[in-house]
């Protein structure tokens, strides 16, 4: 079971950056198509009636999970690794597309990939507030700031967040695991920051 879960996570690492990139650009193309549909005529409309919507949603969910696990397993094969590398090279060499794809890929890899980078949960003192986050860089000399660290603050109910450069003496490490802190933050503080014993 743990192997299947690992394959699922590795499938997500491959699929999520590709799918979000494709989605963003296909949304732009669809916007143009919608404008053309409204201006040129109804014969360009591609809308189809959907019957049994809940059945379609359930089958789609099963297919998405199944395909994700399959892709995660394929990435362990010689041919699968080469296909993933080829797709990666193609997407990282297309102007504009590479910016979106690279940013999404790095973010997904940082959260669930092999090189997890949100592995240093901390509390940052801001006045009377204590704000949980993750150290992503121990040095900010590139920005001309000494004794500062880069801290990522995830947003609730979202994969978005904000990176803030804060003085190192305002940061206190947490004993909680990264998964516990991330779950607490993304859930808006609904889940516990500690595992139940």
């Amino acid at each position: 079971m743990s192997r299947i879960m690992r394959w699922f996570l590795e499938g997500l690492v491959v699929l999520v950056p590709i799918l979000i990139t494709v989605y963003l650009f296909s949304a732009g193309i669809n916007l143009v198509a919608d404008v053309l549909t409204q201006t040129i005529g109804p014969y360009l409309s591609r809308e189809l009636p959907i019957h049994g919507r809940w059945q379609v949603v359930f089958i789609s969910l099963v297919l998405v999970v199944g395909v994700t696990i399959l892709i995660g397993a394929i990435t362990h094969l010689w041919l699968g690794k080469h296909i993933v590398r080829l797709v990666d090279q193609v997407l990282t060499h297309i102007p504009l597309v590479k910016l979106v794809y690279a940013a999404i890929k790095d973010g997904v890899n940082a959260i669930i990939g092999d090189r997890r980078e949100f592995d240093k949960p901390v509390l940052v003192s801001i006045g009377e507030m204590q704000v949980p986050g993750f150290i992503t860089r121990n040095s900010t000399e590139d920005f001309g700031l000494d004794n500062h660290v880069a801290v990522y603050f995830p947003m609730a109910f979202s994969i978005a967040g904000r990176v803030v450069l804060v003085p190192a003496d305002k940061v206190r490490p947490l004993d909680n695991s990264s998964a516990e802190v991330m779950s607490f933050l993304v859930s808006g503080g609904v889940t516990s920051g500690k595992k139940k014993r």
Side-chain angles (χ1 to χ4, degrees):
M1 191 66 182
S2 61
R3 179 178 293 180
I4 292 176
M5 181 56 70
R6 190 180 73 206
W7 287 347
F8 179 76
L9 291 177
E10 289 173 354
L12 283 179
V13 169
V14 173
L15 276 180
V16 169
I18 294 172
L19 292 179
I20 293 180
T21 303
V22 170
Y23 170 77
L24 290 174
F25 283 91
S26 65
I29 293 169
N30 283 333
L31 178 63
V32 174
D34 288 343
V35 171
L36 291 176
T37 299
Q38 294 173 5
T39 55
I40 295 177
Y43 62 90
L44 292 177
S45 176
R46 294 175 290 156
E47 294 182 12
L48 296 173
I50 299 173
H51 299 289
R53 180 161 177 76
W54 288 111
Q55 291 177 357
V56 173
V57 170
F58 177 74
I59 292 170
S60 298
L61 179 62
V62 170
L63 285 174
V64 167
V65 171
V67 168
T68 303
I69 291 172
L70 179 64
I71 288 177
I74 288 173
T75 59
H76 284 268
L77 303 175
W78 179 84
L79 181 61
K81 290 178 182 177
H82 285 281
I83 291 172
V84 169
R85 191 177 299 122
L86 178 64
V87 171
D88 186 72
Q89 287 176 349
V90 168
L91 290 177
T92 53
H93 283 84
I94 302 174
L96 192 61
V97 172
K98 68 181 179 181
L99 297 176
V100 176
Y101 175 71
I104 295 168
K105 180 185 173 187
D106 289 344
V108 171
N109 267 304
I111 296 171
I112 60 175
D114 287 334
R115 58 181 188 87
R116 293 186 181 118
E117 295 175 2
F118 299 139
D119 58 352
K120 298 174 186 171
V122 294
L123 276 180
V124 178
S125 298
I126 303 176
E128 297 296 318
M129 297 185 299
Q130 299 293 316
V131 184
F134 298 88
I135 290 180
T136 55
R137 289 183 66 178
N138 290 315
S139 172
T140 57
E141 291 179 359
D142 294 351
F143 296 95
L145 294 171
D146 293 330
N147 302 319
H148 279 62
V149 294
V151 180
Y152 171 74
F153 298 105
M155 294 183 182
F157 309 109
S158 172
I159 61 170
R162 174 167 292 182
V163 176
V164 180
L165 307 182
V166 298
D169 60 359
K170 298 287 185 183
V171 176
R172 179 168 60 90
L174 286 171
D175 292 332
N176 310 62
S177 73
S178 297
E180 291 166 354
V181 175
M182 184 65 80
S183 176
F184 176 77
L185 292 172
V186 173
S187 70
V190 174
T191 62
S192 173
K194 278 280 190 187
K195 288 182 179 175
K196 292 180 181 178
R197 306 293 181 191

